[in-house]
Amino acid sequence: MPNSSSISEFLLLPLADTRQLQLLHFWLLLGIYLAALLGNGLISTAVACDRRLHTPMYFFLLNLALLDLGCISTTLPKAMANALWDTRAISYAGCAAQLFFFSFFISAEFSLLTIMSYDRYVAICKPLHYGTLMDSRACATMAAAAWGAGVLHSLLHTASTFSLPLCQGNVVNQFFCEIPQILKLSCSASYLREVVFLIFSASLAFGCFVFIMMSYVQIFLAVLRIPSRQGRHKVFSTCLPHLAVVSLYLSTGFYAILKPLSVSSPSMDLMVAVLYSVVPPAVNPLIYSMRNSDVKDAVRKVMVRGVSKAANCPSFGIHGL
């Protein structure tokens, strides 16, 4: 029976059983990946280069776009390569690195989504205090806290997961290295420590979700007092998609983390993983930014200028408070 010291590589879940479907999945994932790169890349460039967007809201959008780029770049390239070359292998070190970076980007992103809900709450419910509560230093500190929380969360789970003895083979029933799937390979009862860590992380994530919901409840109550019907529609049309993405992200993540290890359905696990690891980075540019006329104007200018002129960006500084 193999143990962790004898495992040099893992075998990931194939996306399809036939060669034709594998190639079809490759082209589908390639299209999604390029769309995510283009959308998040344009938003990052537009926010960095357009001084009108150097405000707290767009500063957080820039961070979100960077995290989305990192998140989707951690999982899809390897899955596409495996589908194209008809292989399943990923090295032990590659699996550990993939788990580390995915856990980092996904946890930092959820922390940032919590901060973004607070930013919208202050902007709508406490507009007179917005300049004080969301000044440059506060925004930089909150963004750094989100990235730092991601690093600590990722280090904790990666070290805990890969310190476990693995004696159930090397087949990972997922298209990327995911903590619950690695735990299935560990020896009996040896994974209880990591399960406790996962439950603790899930509790923190649920607390963030409650904070997000409370923020948006306060926002909606404030918006209902706005006499302008157009103003109410604008806020609702922006906030409701945000809540939908957060709810999808959290519900699917909870399912992947908290479902009993004995409950296993490869097709269901694959679909859930796609919903929380691929869909949000691909659709966030549309939901968070492309619905905004200022961002669309800035993106249009970037596309007109071209890459050569976009390279001459001013240094980013938050103003316009």
Side-chain angles (χ1 to χ4, degrees):
M1 187 172 293
N3 55 48
S4 55
S5 62
S6 64
I7 293 177
S8 61
E9 66 177 19
F10 293 94
L11 298 179
L12 299 176
L13 181 70
L15 296 175
D17 297 327
T18 65
R19 187 61 182 148
Q20 290 78 9
L21 285 178
Q22 284 181 338
L23 293 176
L24 177 62
H25 281 95
F26 165 77
W27 290 111
L28 178 61
L29 292 180
L30 179 62
I32 295 174
Y33 184 56
L34 292 178
L37 290 182
L38 178 63
N40 288 291
L42 284 174
I43 289 170
S44 301
T45 305
V47 173
C49 294
D50 195 324
R51 291 187 180 276
R52 296 177 305 165
L53 302 184
H54 291 189
T55 62
M57 181 177 71
Y58 298 114
F59 170 70
F60 294 132
L61 281 176
L62 170 63
N63 281 265
L64 181 66
L66 294 176
L67 289 172
D68 281 336
L69 284 173
C71 182
I72 202 167
S73 296
T74 301
T75 57
L76 282 197
K78 183 59 179 176
M80 290 188 295
N82 284 353
L84 180 63
W85 301 112
D86 192 19
T87 182
R88 300 172 56 188
I90 182 172
S91 67
Y92 187 94
C95 184
Q98 192 177 62
L99 189 148
F100 172 83
F101 284 109
F102 180 75
S103 178
F104 161 60
F105 287 120
I106 209 83
S107 55
E109 180 165 331
F110 197 73
S111 299
L112 188 66
L113 290 173
T114 306
I115 294 171
M116 292 172 69
S117 70
Y118 174 73
D119 171 68
R120 291 299 85 204
Y121 163 76
V122 175
I124 294 175
C125 300
K126 298 180 180 294
L128 297 180
H129 302 282
Y130 188 75
T132 303
L133 296 175
M134 302 300 295
D135 61 8
S136 301
R137 184 173 182 178
C139 291
T141 300
M142 287 187 283
W147 288 78
V151 172
L152 292 176
H153 175 271
S154 184
L155 284 174
L156 173 67
H157 285 289
T158 304
S160 176
T161 300
F162 282 91
S163 66
L164 299 174
L166 306 178
C167 53
Q168 302 294 329
N170 66 337
V171 178
V172 179
N173 289 320
Q174 191 53 271
F175 73 95
F176 65 95
C177 288
E178 185 186 48
I179 292 176
Q181 300 300 331
I182 300 295
L183 293 183
K184 290 182 180 181
L185 306 180
S186 63
C187 301
S188 177
S190 64
Y191 57 80
L192 293 180
R193 179 185 58 187
E194 175 59 19
V195 170
V196 172
F197 287 156
L198 286 175
I199 293 175
F200 177 70
S201 297
S203 300
L204 290 178
F206 183 74
C208 291
F209 179 70
V210 171
F211 180 86
I212 292 172
M213 292 298 297
M214 292 178 61
S215 298
Y216 277 113
V217 166
Q218 295 296 320
I219 290 172
F220 292 153
L221 291 176
V223 168
L224 290 175
R225 294 193 290 267
I226 297 177
S228 170
R229 182 177 179 181
Q230 183 178 2
R232 292 197 302 267
H233 175 74
K234 181 178 180 181
V235 175
F236 280 125
S237 65
T238 302
C239 293
L240 290 178
H242 295 186
L243 283 177
V245 170
V246 172
S247 300
L248 173 68
Y249 175 79
L250 191 66
S251 60
T252 52
F254 273 3
Y255 175 84
I257 293 174
L258 299 180
K259 71 178 179 62
L261 297 180
S262 58
V263 178
S264 180
S265 171
S267 58
M268 177 62 72
D269 291 345
L270 178 63
M271 182 181 69
V272 168
V274 169
L275 287 177
Y276 81 81
S277 65
V278 177
V279 173
V283 302
N284 276 345
L286 295 175
I287 290 178
Y288 285 93
S289 303
M290 291 306 183
R291 296 168 61 91
N292 186 296
S293 59
D294 292 335
V295 174
K296 286 191 290 186
D297 291 341
V299 168
R300 194 177 298 114
K301 289 180 179 179
V302 169
M303 296 177 68
V304 169
R305 278 188 242 163
V307 177
S308 60
K309 292 184 179 180
N312 299 319
C313 298
S315 57
F316 193 97
I318 304 173
H319 62 77
L321 299 177

